Amino acid sequence: MQKDRFERIISFLLGASLAILIFGALIIFKIFLFLGFSLALFITVIFIVISLFLILTLDAFSINRQRLDEAKKQTNILENIESKYTKEV
C-alpha cells in the first residue's frame, strides 16, 4: 500500500523527533553537567518528557488521519446501502 504525503511527512517527523530526542538529551546533559550530576540529570529528564509529549502529538495527528479515512469509508458504505434501499422502496 502506498503512503500519501501526509503519512510520509508524519513518518519523517517522527524519525527526526526521535533522533533529536536522543542527541538532544546527550547534549543537554553535557551542557548542564558543570552544574552537577543531579541537576544535569533532572534537566535532561525534563527535556525527554517534553520531547516525548511532542512526539505523542505527532502520533495523534497520524491516528486522527486514520480515523478520518475510516470514517470516510464507512460513510461511503452507508451511502451505498441507503441508495440501494431508497431505489427498492
Side-chain angles (χ1 to χ4, degrees), residues 12-71:
F12 174 76
L13 289 176
L14 281 172
S17 298
L18 289 174
I20 290 171
L21 172 68
I22 293 169
F23 291 119
L26 180 64
I27 291 169
I28 293 291
F29 182 75
K30 285 190 175 192
I31 287 174
F32 289 101
L33 190 57
F34 77 94
L35 296 174
F37 179 79
S38 60
L39 183 62
L41 187 64
F42 177 73
I43 293 173
T44 303
V45 168
I46 296 296
F47 173 78
I48 289 171
V49 168
I50 292 171
S51 297
L52 287 175
F53 177 74
L54 295 174
I55 290 171
L56 285 175
T57 305
L58 284 174
D59 196 37
F61 286 140
S62 176
I63 290 171
N64 283 335
R65 177 65 182 247
Q66 291 172 358
R67 187 183 304 163
L68 176 66
D69 290 341
E70 190 64 32

